[in-house]
């Protein structure tokens, strides 16, 4: 290449940011067949970024999403699986029902615990798994300019990005169809595209410090809270590899004692924050001090081709431990949609549902976080209309308990749209009815022949395909409906196309030596038994009637129909709105 000539590269997708959100987004695209047409860059040398701190906690729904991608098992191997919590009042007396106590009641999932693993270890796993698919994180490589040519047709190579190698100084031009900004709260992508970042940063400062410790706190290997009169609602979190995190509010009054706030000061304040218990750091792995605030990007998708994900489009306190969880929800909502569009299997309009589904949920989190962060600094919420002398610690426990299913991710839902469509089936589950736009619950199943136990989520992984689950009920009652489904599928011009990103699965409410003989028809895809009928019960399916439930690639319910003569017509209508069916 002649001196001064800039190298030019074409990719379908450029991902900016090598943290968990960027890595998981890249991993999905590579897993779904796009390894040769994507690039992921990170401006920091990873040796400098790979410190122990930052995010630590994955809630159940995040673990489920990663499990669907085949990533969660490795995280679980290294994690601290937290199922126990504790709260202590200022005198060191244990109090019930406060702080993180909701963590002990995260049910309706195999991942019924907080998966605590420091971000360093998570990123190690994500990078290695991504590299196994043929994609390496390019670091240190900084995005220095980005331009969008809006005269180029939708889906074309309309983005020109300029990058600079942090070691060699060499510049490169990357021309791409889509760009994903997962480059953190100070996102260059967001600023370059002039996307407003609405919200504010308060004067409150918080400190987080990780390391190996000694203490006389009775229950120390838990997720805990200490109600300190000087440091707010102090976080005590047992970490992976025997470490512990202490987190506390650092008030303006206490800041006056330090001309410079360094590691020595962080340790001193941590020791003061956990009184009346003793604390000694044998080793400090990492510490930070930061300002608390809540901000949200006005758009998560701009110019039809640039996406924001993770902290690039929303920042909040670490009070509810939601940062990385929310970012991973962004990544797993976007990944399959972008893959289907790249493959020509879905129209560009599918990408618009990324913003319409994620932004309202992020706004809900922002509103919740404003209350949490004030309560953790011993201030009542701005909107508080109750007793002005109420104990913030007590109110915090109530607020966190009320938001527990949202915090765990298990109740995060999307509004009705083209991919969440109300069908003819209505769930009769009394505790938590399953409907379009809601998470598809995980349920226990049995494999034919071996009677080996399995789970629905394990059999419906995220491979960028929709899973059509036929709840066959008790075949002696549903045989006619099953026969009709077989006949109408046989004459369908839609489901005869092998290229459709759809797989089938049958769940019978009985078991037998032969699935064919049990059902009276050929099973629809792989078949599983629900002899105890717990799967039918959880989905609210009458075993005498059956139902057909469509699970989106990310595991949320797309639509659900009655089992019978109208099933195929409804399903065809549903997929015609989502997929490119020719």
């Amino acid at each position: 290449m002649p001196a001064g000539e800039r190298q030019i590269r074409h990719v379908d997708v450029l991902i900016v940011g090598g943290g968990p959100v960027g890595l998981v987004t890249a991993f999905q695209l590579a897993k779904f067949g796009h390894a040769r047409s994507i690039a992921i860059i990170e401006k920091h040398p990873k040796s400098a970024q790979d410190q122990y701190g930052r995010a630590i906690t994955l809630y159940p729904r995040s673990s489920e999403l990663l499990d669907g991608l085949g990533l969660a098992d490795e995280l679980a191997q290294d994690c601290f699986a937290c199922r126990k919590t504790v709260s202590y009042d200022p005198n060191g007396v244990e109090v019930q029902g406060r702080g993180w106590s909701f963590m002990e009641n995260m049910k309706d999932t195999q991942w019924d615990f907080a998966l605590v693993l420091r971000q360093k270890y998570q990123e190690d796993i994500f990078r290695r798994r991504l590299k196994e698919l043929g994609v390496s994180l390019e670091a240190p490589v900084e995005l220095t300019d980005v331009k969008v040519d809006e005269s180029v047709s939708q889906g074309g190579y309309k983005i020109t990005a300029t990058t600079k190698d942090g070691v060699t100084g060499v510049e490169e031009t990357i021309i791409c169809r889509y760009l994903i900004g997962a480059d953190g709260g100070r996102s260059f992508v967001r600023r370059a595209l002039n996307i407003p970042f609405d919200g504010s940063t308060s004067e409150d400062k918080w400190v987080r410090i990780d390391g190996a410790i000694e203490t006389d706190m009775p229950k120390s290997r838990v997720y805990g809270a200490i109600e300190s009169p000087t440091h707010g609602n102090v976080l005590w979190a047992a970490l992976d590899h025997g470490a512990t995190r202490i987190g506390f509010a650092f008030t303006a009054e206490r800041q006056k004692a330090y001309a410079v706030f360094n590691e020595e000061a962080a340790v001193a304040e941590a020791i003061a924050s956990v009184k009346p218990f003793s604390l000694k750091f044998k080793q400090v792995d990492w510490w930070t001090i930061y300002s608390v605030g809540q901000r949200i990007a006005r758009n998560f998708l701009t110019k039809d081709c640039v996406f924001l994900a993770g902290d690039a489009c929303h920042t909040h306190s670490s009070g509810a431990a939601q940062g990385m969880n929310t970012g991973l929800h962004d990544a797993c909502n976007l990944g399959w949609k972008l893959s289907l569009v790249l493959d020509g299997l879905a129209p560009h309009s599918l990408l618009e549902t990324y913003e319409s589904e994620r932004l309202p949920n992020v706004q809900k989190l922002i509103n919740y976080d404003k209350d949490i962060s004030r309560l953790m600094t011993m201030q009542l919420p701005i909107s508080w209309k109750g007793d002005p002398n109420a104990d913030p610690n007590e109110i915090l426990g109530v607020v966190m308990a009320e938001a527990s299913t949202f915090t765990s991710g298990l109740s995060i839902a999307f509004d009705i749209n083209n991919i969440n469509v109300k069908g003819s089936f209505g769930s009769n589950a009394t505790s938590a009815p399953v409907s379009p736009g809601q998470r598809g619950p995980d349920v226990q199943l049995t494999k034919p022949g071996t009677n080996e136990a399995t789970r629905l989520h394990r059999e419906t992984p995220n491979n960028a395909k929709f899973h059509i689950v036929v709840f066959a009920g008790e075949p002696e009652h549903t045989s006619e409906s099953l026969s009709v489904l077989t006949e109408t599928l046989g004459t369908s011009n839609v489901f005869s196309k092998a290229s459709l990103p759809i797989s089938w699965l049958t769940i019978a409410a009985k078991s037998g030596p032969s699935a064919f003989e049990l059902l009276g028809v050929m099973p629809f895809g792989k078949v599983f038994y629900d002899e105890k009928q717990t799967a039918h019960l959880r989905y609210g399916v009458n075993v005498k009637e059956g139902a057909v439930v469509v699970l989106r690639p990310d595991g949320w319910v797309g639509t659900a129909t009655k089992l019978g003569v109208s099933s195929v017509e409804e399903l065809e209508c549903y997929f015609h709105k989502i997929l490119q069916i020719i």
Side-chain angles (χ1 to χ4, degrees):
M1 181 182 297
E5 186 174 328
R6 186 181 295 170
Q7 183 177 342
I8 298 177
R9 177 169 36 149
H10 285 75
V11 296
D12 284 340
V13 182
L14 172 63
I15 299 161
V16 183
V21 176
L23 290 169
V24 170
T25 303
F27 177 82
Q28 289 176 93
L29 293 174
K31 176 182 172 71
F32 302 155
H34 306 283
R36 295 184 178 180
S37 61
I38 66 171
I40 176 170
I41 63 173
E42 164 60 55
K43 72 176 182 179
H44 296 290
K46 291 313 290 179
S47 58
Q49 277 262 299
D50 282 351
Q51 299 175 19
Y52 284 98
R54 298 175 289 160
I56 59 172
T57 306
L58 291 176
Y59 285 116
R61 186 56 180 150
S62 300
S63 297
E64 286 184 347
L65 292 172
L66 293 174
D67 189 36
L69 295 169
L71 292 170
D73 275 348
E74 284 189 70
L75 300 180
Q77 290 286 329
D78 287 346
C79 82
F80 182 87
C82 185
R83 289 184 171 89
K84 297 294 183 182
T85 68
V86 69
S87 289
Y88 292 105
D89 72 10
N91 299 312
V93 176
E94 187 172 343
V95 287
Q96 302 299 320
R98 294 195 187 181
W100 304 95
S101 60
F102 73 89
M103 282 187 177
E104 299 185 12
N105 296 295
M106 299 189 296
K107 307 302 181 186
D108 195 34
T109 173
Q110 189 77 11
W111 300 86
D112 59 350
F113 59 94
L115 191 158
V116 182
L117 183 64
R118 283 171 284 182
Q119 190 170 325
K120 161 190 166 60
Y121 296 109
Q122 296 192 38
E123 289 183 6
D124 285 346
I125 292 169
F126 296 153
R127 280 199 304 273
R128 177 171 50 76
R129 291 294 302 277
L130 180 61
K131 192 170 184 178
E132 289 171 2
L133 295 175
V135 180
S136 295
L137 176 67
E138 300 174 37
V141 176
E142 183 176 4
L143 179 69
T144 58
D145 188 48
V146 58
K147 290 183 171 62
V148 178
D149 185 349
E150 297 190 66
S151 67
V152 176
S153 61
Q154 191 178 70
Y157 290 86
K158 60 200 301 182
I159 303 168
T160 301
T162 304
T163 65
K164 183 176 182 179
D165 189 296
V167 175
T168 65
V170 172
E171 290 192 330
E172 181 181 24
T173 297
I174 300 178
I175 299 173
C176 54
R177 297 168 63 187
Y178 299 98
L179 186 146
I180 300 171
D183 50 340
R186 298 182 179 88
S187 170
F188 178 86
V189 174
R190 186 189 66 240
R191 288 182 282 118
L193 273 297
N194 296 313
I195 300 172
F197 203 33
D198 300 322
S200 62
T201 301
S202 74
E203 295 181 3
D204 295 329
K205 285 187 165 43
W206 287 4
V207 176
R208 296 287 184 265
I209 182 167
D210 298 355
I213 60 127
E214 291 178 353
T215 183
D216 61 359
M217 191 169 109
K219 298 179 180 178
S220 62
R221 300 309 292 163
V222 296
Y223 229 96
I226 301 169
E227 298 170 357
S228 167
T230 55
H231 293 76
N233 194 278
V234 177
L235 167 71
W236 181 293
L239 301 179
D240 53 85
H241 300 83
T244 299
R245 169 167 294 184
I246 311 295
F248 51 89
F250 188 43
T251 64
E253 188 63 31
R254 296 193 74 88
Q255 291 171 35
K256 293 175 183 177
Y258 300 94
V260 176
F261 194 82
N262 52 21
E263 181 180 305
E264 183 180 355
V267 169
E269 286 297 310
I271 291 170
S273 76
V274 302
K275 290 180 178 177
F277 303 114
S278 67
L279 177 66
K280 178 184 177 182
F281 276 89
K282 295 187 289 184
Q283 175 183 317
V284 174
D285 292 332
W286 171 88
W287 70 274
T288 189
I289 180 171
Y290 65 99
S291 297
V292 177
Q294 294 86 17
R295 292 185 181 274
I296 184 169
R298 203 167 295 176
N299 304 104
F300 290 11
L301 167 62
T302 187
K303 300 184 185 298
D304 285 335
C305 59
V306 179
F307 302 89
L308 297 179
D311 287 355
C313 56
H314 46 78
T315 60
H316 24 85
S317 81
S318 60
Q322 281 293 319
M324 182 163 58
N325 289 275
T326 309
L328 290 174
H329 276 255
D330 294 343
C332 294
N333 187 282
L334 178 59
W336 66 272
K337 295 174 181 178
L338 187 52
S339 177
L340 291 181
V341 171
L342 290 173
D343 284 333
L345 295 172
H348 188 275
S349 59
L350 178 62
L351 299 177
E352 296 169 7
T353 65
Y354 169 65
E355 178 177 305
S356 66
E357 291 191 334
R358 290 301 304 142
L359 198 150
N361 277 287
V362 171
Q363 186 62 65
K364 185 176 180 180
L365 169 62
I366 293 286
N367 296 339
Y368 161 55
D369 185 67
K370 288 178 180 178
D371 290 348
I372 290 285
S373 59
R374 284 184 61 86
L375 288 163
M376 285 192 165
T377 53
M378 303 307 292
Q379 305 171 78
L380 292 169
I382 292 174
S383 60
W384 178 251
K385 293 181 173 60
D387 180 359
N389 298 313
D391 180 357
N393 290 303
E394 190 174 333
I395 305 305
L396 176 64
V398 173
V399 171
M400 293 184 80
E402 288 176 347
S404 61
T405 58
F406 180 79
T407 302
S408 70
L410 299 176
S411 71
I412 289 176
F414 309 127
D415 291 337
I416 295 297
N417 58 21
N418 276 355
I419 54 177
N420 308 314
V421 177
K422 186 171 176 56
S424 58
F425 170 74
S427 171
N428 66 15
T430 53
S431 58
V434 179
S435 60
Q438 294 182 334
R439 159 188 173 265
D442 199 7
V443 287
Q444 298 293 322
L445 303 170
T446 304
K447 294 182 179 182
T450 62
N451 291 327
E452 179 185 349
T454 187
R455 298 182 285 110
L456 180 58
H457 283 192
R458 183 173 290 163
E459 304 300 335
T460 53
N462 185 353
N463 51 16
K465 290 184 177 182
F466 290 82
H467 299 278
I468 302 179
V469 183
V470 178
F471 283 88
E474 295 175 337
E476 64 267 31
H477 297 290
T478 60
S479 59
E480 185 176 338
S481 296
L482 291 169
S483 296
V484 169
L485 180 60
T486 299
E487 292 169 14
T488 49
L489 272 177
T491 58
S492 170
N493 292 325
V494 173
F495 294 108
S496 61
K497 302 180 188 301
S499 62
L500 287 184
I502 292 171
S503 69
W504 291 77
L505 183 148
T506 303
I507 301 175
K510 301 183 78 171
S511 65
S514 163
F516 173 78
E517 292 179 22
L518 177 69
L519 296 170
V521 295
M522 284 297 294
F524 309 93
K526 294 176 72 173
V527 65
F528 299 92
Y529 297 146
D530 177 30
E531 194 168 14
K532 295 181 180 177
Q533 303 186 351
T534 53
H536 283 72
L537 180 66
R538 181 63 188 87
Y539 274 78
V541 179
N542 187 326
V543 294
K544 292 180 171 55
E545 298 175 358
V548 180
V549 176
V550 176
L551 296 178
R552 303 173 3 165
D554 55 10
W556 271 266
V557 176
T559 192
T561 79
K562 292 180 178 179
L563 178 62
V565 67
S566 66
S567 298
V568 170
E569 183 180 353
E570 281 191 63
L571 293 172
E572 287 179 344
C573 183
Y574 174 77
F575 285 111
H576 264 296
K577 292 178 180 178
I578 300 172
L579 303 176
Q580 300 272 33
I581 299 175
I582 302 171

